[in-house]
């Protein structure tokens, strides 16, 4: 039922014993290629096997006992144990923050459970748009509920979030299927989004216990000074469709754990996901009146929510233009000055120099530019490749794109799913047309499956999912452009512009900075000092070196941009909750009753 594998020329004596005594197959493999490809492989093997900690090195040392060689490497030793996967996040506020349980779609049993959840989804229902004239009364009720919610002990609010995490993990498959169905995400992406939401529940629930508890401050004897964190009031949360569960939940959870009530408006395209999560919060113990869910378009309902009397703050994720309009509306209000926490779009770039490993670059480009059909805030839009390596990289990337499978999101074989709706498809097609008019040259495009109804010169298609719904697709496309031909706007889909560069890489960074956005930046190089220098020069919120640019993990890679890409603080980071609180400083003269009991109790004679 299994075989042993070895590298040619290594461990021959050991495997000779295996072959002589056991009837197990042994597969011998060897690297094959030209000097340029194999030199790095050889150096890596020499470093691995020549290290003092290497099993191969220790095997030849008589002073190393057999028990040390046979020790379980996953358990570590008593001095520095390696954490198990569920424990990798460590503790917050003295409590373990568990890593959410994942799912492996290569396992038939797990695929079967997910598909069962897919088939058990309730039928779609039509939702009425909430009238704008209902906002004043509903905001008044939210403000009343906020006072009761804020007065609860912090531990009770935090416990609601931790219970929500456990409930969501128990219902992982059904929520995953819902994200696939309504958000048009692949199973892999939907699983990751549900896990991210569980992370938000636990991270903010534990972080609040650590950061929002009353803090005693130093002062003179006979005086008590305390800093208290309270909710600001009733906040408005507006979230997009591209992360209909994780961003929706992340905003909402942070606001309520701080003691705020929330008017929450999800994207028009994904109302069912929002309803399911709000219902889950209520089962976790969040009182019904603390969260009010509004359905409707952002241009009318969202705008009226922001302008409503008594709004204590706005959390928004979406376009830069809408964020600027929200900023103007808040500034025009005669009420208190309230915070706006905005995470907006980006013209995200990746810089590749001639030292980068091409295979690694291609993997990271495919992941960053085309996963989720390019519909991620952090997705790669501009690929800057050093001229020396551009031809070889283009050939390799084109070949990899030819292997991408385009299909319905519920098909486990699909690598690239649909864009969210026909409006998104039309917008992307218009941007492709402008890109081509500016001189962009098509280098590669992923092929369509036979079931596709192909339109617009092969760049778009219509296909149906297993439920018979008509879905809209854009083919992953790679365009060559010069710096003057760059379409300097975010194409929110699987369209990548590639620019060759030579000379100074500092000039490339300055060109990227000049766009004014600052969400994510990828750097691919094997020169550590260059990566460090590039990272310091770039005015960007999240920088990823020699890895993909998407998939930020809560509490590990806090996410948020600079410049035109957001206000900060970063979502899923240690500074987020404080922005949603009102600080209250309380100073008490403890000697006012006629004596300083604490001073007398600390007598030193």
């Amino acid at each position: 039922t299994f075989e042993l594998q070895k590298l040619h020329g290594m461990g021959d004596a050991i495997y000779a014993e295996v072959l002589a005594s056991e009837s197990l197959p042994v597969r011998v493999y060897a690297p094959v290629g030209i000097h340029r490809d194999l030199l790095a492989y050889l150096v890596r093997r020499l470093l691995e096997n020549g290290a003092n900690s290497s099993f191969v090195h220790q095997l030849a040392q008589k002073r190393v006992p057999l028990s040390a060689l046979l020790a379980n490497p996953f358990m570590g030793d008593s001095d520095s144990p390696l954490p198990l996967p569920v424990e990798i996040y460590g503790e917050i506020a003295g409590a373990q923050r568990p890593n959410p349980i994942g799912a492996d779609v290569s396992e038939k049993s797990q695929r079967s459970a997910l598909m069962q959840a897919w088939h058990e989804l309730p039928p779609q229902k039509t939702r009425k748009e909430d009238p704008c004239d209902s906002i004043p009364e509903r905001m008044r009720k939210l403000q009343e509920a906020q006072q009761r919610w804020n007065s609860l002990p912090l531990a009770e609010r935090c416990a609601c979030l931790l219970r929500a995490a456990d409930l969501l993990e128990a219902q992982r498959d059904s929520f995953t299927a819902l994200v696939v169905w309504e958000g048009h995400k692949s199973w892999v992406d939907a699983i990751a989004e549900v896990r991210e939401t569980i992370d938000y529940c636990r991270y903010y629930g534990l972080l609040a216990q650590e950061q929002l508890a009353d803090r005693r401050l130093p002062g003179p004897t006979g005086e008590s000074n305390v800093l208290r964190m309270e909710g600001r009031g009733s906040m408005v949360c507006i979230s997009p469709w591209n992360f209909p569960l994780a961003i929706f939940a992340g905003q909402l959870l942070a606001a309520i754990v701080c003691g705020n009530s929330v008017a929450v408006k999800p994207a028009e395209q994904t109302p069912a996901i929002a309803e399911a999560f709000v219902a889950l919060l209520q089962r976790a113990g969040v009182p019904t009146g603390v969260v009010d869910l509004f359905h409707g378009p952002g241009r009318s309902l969202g705008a009226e929510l922001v302008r409503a009397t008594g709004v204590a703050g706005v959390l928004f994720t979406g376009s830069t233009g809408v964020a600027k309009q929200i900023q103007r509306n808040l500034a025009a209000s005669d009420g208190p000055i309230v915070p706006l926490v905005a995470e907006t779009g980006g013209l995200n770039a990746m810089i590749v120099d001639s030292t980068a490993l091409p295979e690694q670059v291609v993997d990271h480009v495919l992941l960053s530019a085309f996963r989720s059909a390019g519909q991620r805030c952090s997705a790669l839009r501009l690929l800057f490749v050093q001229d020396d390596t551009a031809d070889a990289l283009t050939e390799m990337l084109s070949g990899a794109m030819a292997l991408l499978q385009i299909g319905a999101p519920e098909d486990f074989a699909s690598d690239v799913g649909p864009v969210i709706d026909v409006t998104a498809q039309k917008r992307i097609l218009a941007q492709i047309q402008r890109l081509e008019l500016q001189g962009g040259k098509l280098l590669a495009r992923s092929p369509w499956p036979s079931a596709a109804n192909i339109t617009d010169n092969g760049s778009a298609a219509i296909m149906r999912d297993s439920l018979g719904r008509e879905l809209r697709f854009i083919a992953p496309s790679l365009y060559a452009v010069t710096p003057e031909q760059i379409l300097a706007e975010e194409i929110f889909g699987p369209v990548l512009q590639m620019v060759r560069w030579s000379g100074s890489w500092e000039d490339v960074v300055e060109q990227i900075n000049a766009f004014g956005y600052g969400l994510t930046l990828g750097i691919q190089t094997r020169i550590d000092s260059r990566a460090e220098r590039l990272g310091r020069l770039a005015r960007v919120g999240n920088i990823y070196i020699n890895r993909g640019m998407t998939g930020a993990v809560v509490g590990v890679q806090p996410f948020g941009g600079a410049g035109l890409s957001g206000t900060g603080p970063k979502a899923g980071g240690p500074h987020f909750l404080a922005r949603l609180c009102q600080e209250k400083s309380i100073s008490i003269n403890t000697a006012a009753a006629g004596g300083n009991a604490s001073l007398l109790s600390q007598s030193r004679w």
Side-chain angles (χ1 to χ4, degrees):
T1 57
F2 67 93
E3 68 179 27
L4 300 174
Q5 298 180 352
K6 68 181 292 291
L7 188 63
H8 176 69
M10 296 183 63
D12 288 341
I14 296 175
Y15 284 96
E17 293 294 326
V18 172
L19 290 169
S21 60
E22 301 288 345
S23 59
L24 293 173
V26 176
R27 184 184 300 270
V28 181
Y29 65 100
V32 177
I34 61 176
H35 177 270
R36 183 193 66 191
D37 297 328
L38 295 186
L39 182 60
Y41 179 86
L42 173 62
V43 171
R44 187 163 67 248
R45 289 299 182 190
L46 288 173
L47 291 173
E48 289 172 352
N49 297 326
N52 291 335
S53 58
S54 167
F55 175 84
V56 175
H57 182 80
Q58 295 184 69
L59 190 63
Q61 302 296 320
K62 293 183 178 180
R63 59 181 175 80
V64 179
L66 184 63
S67 59
L69 293 174
L70 297 177
N72 187 334
F74 296 103
M75 298 307 294
D77 55 47
S78 58
D79 296 326
S80 57
L82 294 174
L84 295 173
V86 73
E87 300 169 344
I88 60 174
Y89 295 148
E91 295 183 352
I92 302 178
Q96 181 70 44
R97 175 194 160 198
N99 184 12
I101 299 171
D104 185 355
V105 297
S106 67
E107 291 287 339
K108 183 178 180 180
S109 60
Q110 299 200 31
R111 290 199 306 272
S112 298
L114 291 168
M115 285 308 297
Q116 180 179 350
W118 167 265
H119 291 300
E120 291 175 352
L121 286 171
Q124 185 178 10
K125 64 179 181 180
T126 302
R127 291 167 179 81
K128 293 182 179 179
E129 180 179 323
D130 288 302
C132 292
D133 58 12
S134 69
I135 291 176
E137 175 62 18
R138 292 168 71 174
M139 289 300 295
R140 184 188 64 79
K141 291 181 179 179
L142 277 171
Q143 289 157 14
E144 293 176 356
Q146 187 271 332
Q147 296 179 23
R148 297 189 296 271
W149 174 246
N150 186 59
S151 65
L152 289 178
L154 173 63
E156 291 188 26
R157 299 201 302 267
C158 294
C160 289
L161 269 66
L162 298 180
R163 285 194 295 268
D166 294 339
L167 287 172
L168 184 54
E169 196 158 44
Q171 300 173 48
R172 182 198 64 194
D173 290 351
S174 60
F175 269 87
T176 301
L178 186 58
V179 172
V180 173
W181 171 71
E182 190 173 55
H184 297 169
K185 294 206 170 189
S186 70
W187 288 106
V188 172
D189 287 345
I191 291 167
E193 182 162 355
V194 173
R195 294 184 69 203
E196 182 180 1
T197 307
I198 297 169
D199 265 338
Y200 272 126
C201 292
R202 289 175 176 155
Y203 181 72
Y204 286 145
L206 293 173
L207 191 68
Q209 295 179 35
E210 181 177 86
Q211 294 188 346
L212 305 188
D214 286 1
R215 182 176 302 179
R216 293 200 172 274
L217 303 177
T221 183
E223 185 174 282
S224 169
N225 295 286
V226 175
L227 182 66
R228 180 167 297 162
M229 309 292 277
E230 297 183 341
R232 301 185 66 93
S234 298
M235 308 196 82
V236 173
C237 293
I238 301 175
S239 55
W241 50 259
N242 64 321
F243 280 91
L245 181 59
I247 294 180
F248 173 85
Q251 294 177 344
L252 175 56
L253 292 164
I256 64 173
V257 80
C258 292
N260 302 292
S261 61
V262 180
V264 59
K265 196 203 83 65
E268 305 96 285
Q269 296 90 337
T270 53
I273 296 170
E275 287 181 356
F277 187 74
V278 170
L280 182 140
L281 285 181
Q282 293 172 357
R283 292 196 299 274
V286 177
T288 304
V290 172
V291 178
D292 195 356
L293 183 61
F294 289 79
H295 291 299
R299 64 182 178 275
S300 55
L301 185 66
E304 289 300 319
L305 280 171
V306 169
R307 287 193 288 261
T309 301
V311 170
V314 176
L315 283 76
F316 172 77
T317 299
S319 72
T320 304
V322 174
K324 294 291 290 184
Q325 184 59 52
I326 292 173
Q327 181 189 38
R328 286 189 286 267
N329 289 339
L330 292 176
S333 171
D334 292 331
I337 299 171
V338 301
L340 166 63
V341 178
E343 192 263 284
T344 57
L347 196 58
N348 309 314
M350 178 185 288
I351 303 173
V352 181
D353 73 8
S354 58
T355 72
L357 290 171
E359 298 86 353
Q360 179 176 282
V361 173
V362 169
D363 282 344
H364 295 160
V365 169
L366 290 178
L367 173 71
S368 303
F370 304 131
R371 188 165 175 176
S372 300
Q375 298 173 120
R376 294 189 179 211
C377 317
S378 55
L380 172 61
R381 311 299 182 191
L382 295 175
L383 180 63
F384 288 85
V385 183
Q386 193 166 8
D387 193 67
D388 297 352
T389 192
D391 289 337
L393 187 64
T394 300
E395 181 180 2
M396 190 178 294
L397 182 56
S398 300
M401 290 175 62
L403 298 176
L404 292 176
Q405 300 293 312
I406 305 173
E410 77 275 13
D411 185 347
F412 287 98
S414 296
D415 298 312
V416 180
V419 295
I420 189 65
D421 55 22
V422 64
T423 302
Q425 187 191 49
K426 289 180 178 179
R427 181 173 59 250
I428 297 168
L429 288 173
Q431 290 175 306
I432 289 175
Q433 186 177 26
R434 291 202 300 275
L435 176 61
E436 292 176 344
L437 287 173
Q438 291 180 191
K441 178 184 177 184
L442 181 66
L443 296 178
R445 177 170 286 156
S446 297
W448 293 107
S450 57
N453 177 12
I454 304 168
T455 63
D456 296 274
N457 296 320
S459 60
I462 302 171
M463 287 187 279
R464 295 185 180 275
D465 65 4
S466 61
L467 301 176
R469 297 183 302 170
E470 194 172 80
L471 304 178
R472 303 291 175 141
F473 292 78
I474 296 288
S477 304
L478 175 67
Y479 282 87
V481 294
T482 65
E484 298 75 23
Q485 295 168 340
I486 292 174
L487 186 64
E489 61 186 64
E490 184 176 38
I491 304 177
F492 210 70
V495 180
L496 178 61
Q497 302 177 66
M498 190 179 84
V499 186
R500 290 173 177 254
W501 66 274
S502 59
S504 170
W505 41 263
E506 288 97 337
D507 291 342
V508 178
V509 177
E510 285 307 312
Q511 182 180 1
I512 294 169
N513 286 339
F515 290 125
Y517 295 95
L519 193 55
T520 62
L521 172 69
I523 300 172
Q524 299 281 336
T525 179
R526 281 186 278 177
I527 301 175
D528 292 344
S529 60
R530 177 173 294 176
E532 172 69 17
R533 175 71 173 158
L534 285 169
R536 289 186 178 277
L537 290 175
R539 295 193 290 272
V540 174
N542 287 71
I543 297 174
Y544 300 98
I545 300 171
N546 294 329
R547 53 151 290 168
M549 295 166 52
T550 57
V553 177
V554 174
V556 179
Q557 295 120 10
F559 189 77
L564 295 175
S565 294
T567 63
K570 291 181 177 294
H575 307 301
F576 197 75
L577 296 183
R579 189 73 177 102
L580 311 182
C581 293
Q582 184 71 50
E583 295 180 278
K584 181 182 289 184
S585 177
I586 304 171
S587 185
I588 303 173
N589 177 7
T590 58
N596 189 342
S598 62
L599 181 61
L600 292 174
S601 68
Q602 298 177 23
S603 174
R604 297 187 180 180
W605 58 81

